Every structure is written in structure tokens, then in C-alpha cells.
Amino acid sequence: MTWAEWLPLIFMAVMGLALLAYVVLDGYDLGVGLLLPLGDNGQKDTMVASIGPFWDANETWLVLGVGVLLVAFPMALAPVFQTLYLPVAVMLIGLILRGVAFDFRVKAPLPYKAFWNRAFFVGSLMASASQGWMLGSYITGFDTGALGLAFSLGIALTLPAAYVLLGAGWLIMKTEGALQQRAVVWARRALWPVAVALVAISGATPLVNPAVIDKWFSVPLVFALLPVPLACAASLFAVRWVLTHPEIIRAGHGWVVFVATVLIFVLAFFGLAYSIYPDIVIGRMTVWQAAIGTASLNVVFVGVAITLPVIIAYTIFMYRVFWGKARELTYK
């Protein structure tokens, strides 16, 4: 392949990396937001404190991913945003509501603190459900028929459950005492709905996107790809094993829940990427058809080559600085 053919693939990989990083990193703090109503007043403060230093930076990955889409693949904008305009608007409103609630809940008088806690939960629910709808619509090739809408609705309902499991795993890793014990219970309740949803989505995806069948179930590819579902099953088993053995968590290995859940997200992402390649809009447009000219991509490449390492370095530095058990959030 020539450099002109490689460039769109490089930008596709950068966009995919950014969106995967966003789903994992912002996914756990969306999950914490969804769990917020289940904690008592003191635990709510600790839950918010556990994500406080990270959540703004986590959303930087969303900006990078969408920025690459806008700049490098403008031909894909019309079919994507024409169909997803409403869920994108709902997601942005939810993210704005979360940001406002995060700051106001700390400074608000005590009678109004409950209102901002609920606002943080509602914003988290709006953002996570709309992301699920967008993912479902994308997998179906933006099908607006009954089957496509039902599939999108199914993922809109199940992605928040996956975020809850991710958020509970984060709290198990970042907290201790009564809140950690509660997080274990929350993770147990979310585990089976997530497992059932993964099986249901895996079974339904070939129905809404028949092209997936040849990529996954033809011989010998079916044997080469078998480690992907097996690794997902092993990760779910690891999560369940830790959650049902409190002594493992007391020994300091509660992080396994979070890491195994992240692995499930990563495997699902690469499974989706393999299923849709080389399309950027499934069944309509390949990555090369959607990309701008090579000369323009060369200019953008320089900017991305500078920006991406900076974002990665900043993210790593931030997590190293603020690592450790969370305490109640206060502003002095």
C-alpha cells in the first residue's frame, strides 16, 4: 500500500483509539454517576471525589475522536450526523448537566445538594443512554426500520448497565470500608444483565448487519477468532469470581473487577472494528471514500502527531499523581 492509502487508515486508528479511551475512561465515571443515588450522603461525596481529578481529562478523548472525524473524514459527516443529530444533542446536554452539577453540588446549601446529586445522575443517564443509541444505530448502518430501532433501543438500555459495572469496579478499586462493600453488591447486580446483554447483542448483530456473518463464521476464520469470545467469557468469570470471594478484595485484588471489565470493552471494540472494516459508514462508505485529500491529511497528520502523545502523556501523569484511595471531596 502507498502512503496515500495508509494515511486514512492511520487516522481511522487514531479516531478508534480516542473513542475507545473515552468509552473506558469516561465510562467508569458515567457509571459512578449512575450509582450515585444508591449511596448515603457521605458516600456520595466520596464517590464524586473518586472521579473528581479525572473526569474532565477523560472527556478530552471524545474531543480528539470527534475532531479527527470532522477534519479527516468530512464525507462521513452527512450520513452520521443527519441520523444521530438528536442523540448527539441529548448526550451533550447530559455532559453539560453533569459538569454543572459536579461544581454546584459542592458549593450549594445543604437543602439544594440533593437536587444537584439528582442532576448529576440524570446527566449521566442521558449521556450513557444516548451513546448506546448511537452505537446501535451505527452498527445497523443507521437503519430506521423496526428491527434497527429495536436494536438501537436495546443497546441504549444495556450500555448504561455496562457502565454501572465499570463504575462499580472503579469504586471497589478506589474506595474502602462500607462504600467498597456496597460497590461489590452493585457490581454483582450489574454483572448478569451485562453478560446476558453481551450474548443477546452478539446474536442479534448478524441479523441487523448480515455482512458480519461471513467475517465471523466462515471457515477457517471462525477458529482464528474464537479467542475473542473465549476471552470475554473468561473476563466475566474473573469478575464473578472476585465478587463472590470477599477475601480476594480484602487482600487488595479488587482491581481485577475493573481491569477485567475494561478488557471486555476492549475486546468488544476490536470485534466491532474487525466487523466493519474497511467501512467507516457501514454498507455506504469506506475509509478511503470518506477521507479528505492526501495533501490535507499530511498537514493534519503533523498536528495529530504532536497532540496525541501530549494527551497520552498528560493522562498517564494525571493518573499517577492522583492514584490511591478516594476521600470525601472538599473545596477550601
Side-chain angles (χ1 to χ4, degrees):
M1 294 179 67
T2 65
W3 176 246
E5 293 172 317
W6 272 110
L7 261 179
L9 293 179
I10 293 172
F11 280 98
M12 186 70 171
V14 171
M15 185 176 70
L17 170 66
L19 294 178
L20 173 62
Y22 169 76
V23 167
V24 171
L25 297 179
D26 206 42
Y28 75 73
D29 67 53
L30 285 168
V32 171
L34 293 171
L35 290 168
L36 196 65
L38 302 180
D40 60 34
N41 290 331
Q43 290 172 346
K44 286 182 173 68
D45 290 336
T46 305
M47 292 166 72
V48 173
S50 74
I51 62 175
F54 310 109
W55 76 298
D56 275 336
N58 293 344
E59 292 178 355
T60 303
W61 291 99
L62 177 62
V63 176
L64 176 63
V66 174
V68 171
L69 174 63
L70 293 173
V71 175
F73 303 107
M75 305 302 178
L77 296 182
V80 171
F81 286 105
Q82 181 180 359
T83 307
L84 298 182
Y85 181 83
L86 181 59
V88 166
V90 172
M91 181 186 72
L92 292 177
I93 293 171
L95 294 177
I96 293 170
L97 185 59
R98 276 167 49 87
V100 173
F102 181 87
D103 289 326
F104 275 66
R105 68 175 301 279
V106 177
K107 290 295 187 178
L110 189 59
Y112 299 100
K113 190 172 183 178
F115 169 81
W116 291 113
N117 285 336
R118 288 192 293 268
F120 194 77
F121 164 77
V122 171
S124 301
L125 181 61
M126 291 173 64
S128 56
S130 59
Q131 288 172 17
W133 182 276
M134 287 187 284
L135 176 60
S137 297
Y138 181 75
I139 293 174
T140 63
F142 307 111
D143 179 18
T144 56
L147 183 59
L149 294 176
F151 185 81
S152 299
L153 179 62
I155 299 189
L157 295 174
T158 54
L159 185 61
Y163 283 163
V164 164
L165 180 60
L166 195 61
W170 175 259
L171 292 175
I172 292 171
M173 184 172 61
K174 290 286 289 181
T175 65
E176 53 194 1
L179 178 55
Q180 185 185 61
Q181 294 172 9
R182 279 195 172 188
V184 170
V185 174
W186 298 335
R188 287 177 186 169
R189 293 174 180 173
L191 177 61
W192 287 112
V194 170
V196 172
L198 281 174
V199 174
I201 291 171
S202 300
T205 299
L207 297 178
V208 297
N209 188 359
V212 173
I213 297 176
D214 292 334
K215 286 196 170 185
W216 282 89
F217 300 107
S218 60
V219 178
L221 288 177
V222 64
F223 299 107
L225 296 170
L226 191 59
V228 175
L230 291 179
C232 281
S235 298
L236 287 169
F237 177 80
V239 172
R240 183 181 182 277
W241 181 264
V242 174
L243 293 177
T244 54
H245 291 77
E247 66 275 8
I248 297 178
I249 296 175
R250 288 195 296 268
H253 302 298
W255 55 267
V256 172
V257 176
F258 181 76
V259 171
T261 307
V262 169
L263 180 59
I264 293 171
F265 275 80
V266 172
L267 290 169
F269 170 82
F270 281 105
L272 175 61
Y274 169 76
S275 298
I276 67 175
Y277 178 83
D279 289 350
I280 192 170
V281 180
I282 299 174
R284 300 190 195 181
M285 192 178 299
T286 68
V287 62
W288 296 282
Q289 292 171 334
I292 56 175
T294 302
S296 300
L297 283 180
N298 281 326
V299 175
V300 178
F301 180 81
V302 175
V304 171
I306 296 172
T307 304
L308 182 59
V310 171
I311 295 176
I312 293 174
Y314 168 66
T315 301
I316 294 173
F317 175 76
M318 178 190 60
Y319 275 85
R320 288 190 62 184
V321 169
F322 293 103
W323 199 250
K325 295 294 184 179
R327 296 292 184 267
E328 183 177 332
L329 181 66
T330 58
Y331 289 157
K332 299 300 184 183

